[in-house]
Amino acid sequence: MNNEQTSSIDTTTEEYRDKWLKLSPVAIIYFAIQFIKNTASNFVYLIPALVVGYQKLADNIVSILIGVAGILVFIAVSALVKFYFYQYRITGQRAQIHSGVFQKKHIDLPFERIQNIRFEQPIYYRFTDHVCMLLDTAGSSKAEAKIIALPKSVAETLKQEILLFKSHTSDTESQTETEQQHDQETVLNTRSVRDLVIHGLASNRIWIVLGALAPFFNAISEQVIEGIESFGVDVEALMSSTQYAMWQYILVIASATFIIVALLALISVIGSVITFYDFRLTRSDDRYIRRNGLFTRHEVAMRLRRLQMIVYQQNWLDRLLQRVNLKFEQLNSSVERHSASTAGGKIMVPSVTLSEAEELARDAWPEHQMGSIKFHPISKRLMVRNALVSFWLLVGSAIVISYFGHYQLSAALVALFLASLPFIALRWKRWGYANDGQFIYIRKGLIGVNYRCFPVHKVQQTSFYQSWFMRRFKLCSVGFVLACGGQSVPFIKETTGDALIDNTLYRVEALRKSWM
């Protein structure tokens, strides 16, 4: 960056430098919506119970209205108070934030600790052209600092100032990050609405919702029957009637099931489209930039040198459709975030074809062999161990229960054990590993399958584990710790594990490359 650009930044930031500043009033909306989101996430599992108790709630309409009004007033007061106590300033080469009402939070973040700068723009910020600025640091489990409502021009200028400071303090970069940001971006991948629909259908949201509703199926079915009977239909008489054939009853039940699953699939598809709408993955020199979002626009940038691991993720439906969720994982990606769209540690490209995934992976690491390398299987002792554990837990319990005369429950536990055996075998079959000297590859899964690839020089720590069972058969499990989390390979030969760890540590020491 030349002197003229530096002078421009100093002029733009002069008005907010070294002063404690309040947020724009538009931040009140942000605090209110965040409060609603946090509250709703804690009560999501009460939704089925509310559905079951709908009739009792309907009989107390006045109380409900008073309660809703009280909640709205509480949300408004809470948002106003949080807005009042939030202040920030940029002083020297550090960002400082004071927030909190009863529990005060003070953040003092030096520029040199900042590893990633992200922007979020909720839909209600677009009218005033404000953004949320998130500052990530290495080693944090979430965004280290978040300035809630900055004018977009100020946020861009502040970002340039931080990057300029880091480029002046780094002796390893030959070209500054701020100069690279003005390079022309090359579009690597975009996602159409059709691709996002496929991603929504193939995601696990449908089955998670069904699993959460399972304990309430009986109560919900009773409420549905009562609702049908309120229209004058006698369900019990209808089901006991002999004027309909059995196949007709089966057809009605199957149709109702299909409608329910279709509604849940629609919810999942809508969520996918909202999250990844207008998805664009671009590259500017060695920087990958992901932009996506319908209501809230997200922008995440990642330097290629910070890339820790590439993941091909497929569930059973992805395998049928020949699609892959491709993930570029960097710092802290193993830490669970609020959603895929806001994760600062990874860039995910949803539902790409196998050829697109291979092309994107080779753009980052041309030498990798994820799509062609031969994986070595792990020992069948893992399958034996898991089968024995399942046997003693299920069949052993069945024997004890049958002693007290509960033969039906005992039979169910035995049947469950027999049903678990194919999954235990499939779980073993999915495991595999490979090493070509430059990269380590791991394959695992159950119904679906995940492929992981990471460079040897990114490994920060290794582990060697043997249980009594493993030691008896000269087996071991090895682990590798990366900046994005740990990876392990279980039940391989002891000599193979020793060699894999020795070769990895030798390569790390010999190459002496930075892990970020």
Side-chain angles (χ1 to χ4, degrees):
M1 180 175 290
N2 55 35
N3 293 332
E4 182 179 349
Q5 290 173 307
T6 304
S7 176
S8 175
I9 288 178
D10 292 339
T11 302
T12 308
T13 59
E14 184 179 355
E15 62 183 67
Y16 64 88
R17 174 169 290 281
D18 298 325
K19 301 176 183 178
W20 284 107
L21 301 174
K22 291 288 188 180
L23 297 173
S24 168
V26 74
I28 297 174
I29 303 176
Y30 177 89
F31 285 121
I33 291 178
Q34 288 301 114
F35 182 90
I36 294 172
K37 284 182 178 180
N38 294 335
T39 304
S41 64
N42 293 328
F43 288 95
V44 66
Y45 295 108
L46 294 180
I47 293 177
L50 294 176
V51 172
V52 173
Y54 168 77
Q55 191 60 46
K56 293 182 179 180
L57 292 174
D59 295 336
N60 297 278
I61 268 302
V62 176
S63 300
I64 292 176
L65 293 177
I66 294 175
V68 171
I71 292 173
L72 292 177
V73 171
F74 182 78
I75 291 172
V77 172
S78 174
L80 286 170
V81 171
K82 288 182 179 179
F83 166 77
Y84 179 79
F85 283 99
Y86 191 106
Q87 57 182 348
Y88 69 96
R89 72 173 177 177
I90 308 299
T91 177
Q93 279 75 43
R94 56 204 321 118
Q96 297 177 329
I97 299 175
H98 289 179
S99 60
V101 182
F102 300 108
Q103 183 177 0
K104 298 294 185 179
K105 185 176 182 181
H106 303 278
I107 295 176
D108 189 346
L109 183 60
F111 286 176
E112 63 264 19
R113 284 186 54 199
I114 297 173
Q115 299 297 331
N116 194 17
I117 302 171
R118 297 184 285 134
F119 290 156
E120 289 181 2
Q121 189 177 44
I123 188 169
Y124 47 86
Y125 274 6
R126 298 182 193 176
F127 303 104
T128 58
D129 203 26
H130 283 76
V131 296
C132 296
M133 186 174 187
L134 294 85
L135 308 175
D136 296 329
T137 64
S140 66
S141 60
K142 55 185 177 180
E144 191 72 28
K146 186 173 186 179
I147 303 179
I148 302 301
L150 278 176
K152 191 173 182 179
S153 59
V154 175
E156 290 285 357
T157 303
L158 180 57
K159 178 180 179 179
Q160 297 298 321
E161 182 177 354
I162 294 172
L163 297 179
L164 176 63
F165 172 81
K166 291 180 65 64
S167 69
H168 285 170
T169 57
S170 174
D171 296 327
T172 60
E173 297 182 11
S174 60
Q175 184 179 18
T176 70
E177 202 165 338
T178 51
E179 290 174 338
Q180 294 170 6
Q181 189 168 4
H182 293 286
D183 291 344
Q184 183 178 1
E185 294 182 11
T186 303
V187 178
L188 299 180
N189 191 272
T190 60
R191 298 284 84 199
S192 66
V193 175
R194 175 178 176 271
D195 295 323
L196 301 184
V197 169
I198 293 175
H199 177 67
L201 292 174
S203 68
N204 293 323
R205 295 185 183 96
I206 300 173
W207 317 113
I208 292 173
V209 172
L210 286 175
L213 292 177
F216 304 95
F217 279 163
N218 187 44
I220 292 174
S221 63
E222 291 178 359
Q223 292 295 318
V224 172
I225 292 173
E226 289 181 7
I228 296 174
E229 289 179 342
S230 66
F231 291 99
V233 179
D234 191 342
V235 177
E236 184 176 353
L238 183 64
M239 295 301 294
S240 61
S241 175
T242 58
Q243 61 178 322
Y244 298 106
M246 180 58 69
W247 67 268
Q248 291 175 308
Y249 290 116
I250 295 175
L251 181 61
V252 170
I253 294 173
S255 300
T257 303
F258 174 79
I259 292 173
I260 293 172
V261 173
L263 288 174
L264 294 174
L266 179 61
I267 294 173
S268 182
V269 168
I270 292 173
S272 174
V273 173
I274 290 174
T275 301
F276 294 104
Y277 182 78
D278 194 24
F279 180 96
R280 295 174 67 86
L281 178 65
T282 62
R283 180 169 179 173
S284 175
D285 197 46
D286 71 336
R287 297 174 66 250
Y288 287 88
I289 306 169
R290 185 205 72 198
R291 298 182 180 93
N292 60 277
L294 179 59
F295 299 124
T296 300
R297 292 293 297 172
H298 297 277
E299 177 182 320
V300 176
M302 179 189 73
R303 297 292 298 271
L304 179 58
R305 60 185 174 82
R306 293 177 184 161
L307 177 60
Q308 303 293 311
M309 181 167 59
I310 294 178
V311 180
Y312 291 4
Q313 187 178 60
Q314 288 182 305
N315 60 27
W316 65 273
L317 191 52
D318 287 320
R319 290 178 63 81
L320 289 178
L321 299 174
Q322 294 295 297
R323 294 284 179 143
V324 173
N325 291 321
L326 177 66
K327 296 181 180 180
F328 289 161
E329 299 194 350
Q330 51 167 332
L331 306 179
N332 304 309
S333 62
S334 63
V335 179
E336 189 66 25
R337 304 299 181 104
H338 295 295
S339 71
S341 65
T342 60
K346 74 178 75 171
I347 290 179
M348 187 177 86
V349 189
S351 292
V352 293
T353 62
L354 294 172
S355 59
E356 287 175 326
E358 187 69 14
E359 181 180 353
L360 289 172
R362 288 200 177 279
D363 181 81
W365 292 334
E367 302 86 3
H368 90 94
Q369 305 178 54
M370 183 97 84
S372 59
I373 199 165
K374 181 179 179 181
F375 285 87
H376 304 291
I378 64 173
S379 172
K380 293 181 180 179
R381 302 285 180 185
L382 175 64
M383 184 169 48
V384 174
R385 193 276 307 269
N386 291 342
L388 288 174
V389 171
S390 178
F391 176 85
W392 288 114
L393 286 177
L394 298 176
V395 178
S397 299
I399 293 173
V400 174
I401 292 173
S402 64
Y403 177 79
F404 295 98
H406 301 288
Y407 300 111
Q408 291 183 342
L409 181 56
S410 299
L413 289 175
V414 173
L416 183 60
F417 165 71
L418 295 176
S420 70
L421 293 179
F423 293 99
I424 291 173
L426 186 59
R427 176 67 170 170
W428 163 79
K429 186 70 175 177
R430 291 290 189 223
W431 272 107
Y433 68 96
N435 178 22
D436 63 4
Q438 287 185 294
F439 296 90
I440 295 175
Y441 308 86
I442 298 175
R443 182 190 65 204
K444 59 182 178 179
L446 184 58
I447 306 299
V449 60
N450 294 337
Y451 299 88
R452 301 170 184 268
C453 165
F454 54 89
V456 172
H457 73 269
K458 299 282 186 178
V459 176
Q460 300 182 12
Q461 183 179 337
T462 62
S463 63
F464 181 93
Y465 172 77
Q466 278 185 313
S467 64
W468 175 86
F469 182 84
M470 291 180 179
R471 195 178 302 112
R472 176 168 181 164
F473 297 100
K474 298 187 181 302
L475 299 172
C476 70
S477 293
V478 297
F480 305 96
V481 177
L482 310 170
C484 64
Q487 300 297 320
S488 63
V489 183
F491 281 74
I492 59 177
K493 292 181 180 179
E494 182 180 325
T495 53
T496 302
D498 282 330
L500 188 57
I501 288 178
D502 289 343
N503 291 336
T504 298
L505 295 178
Y506 172 76
R507 292 279 297 177
V508 170
E509 182 66 22
L511 294 174
R512 293 186 177 275
K513 290 184 178 180
S514 173
W515 56 271
M516 63 167 291

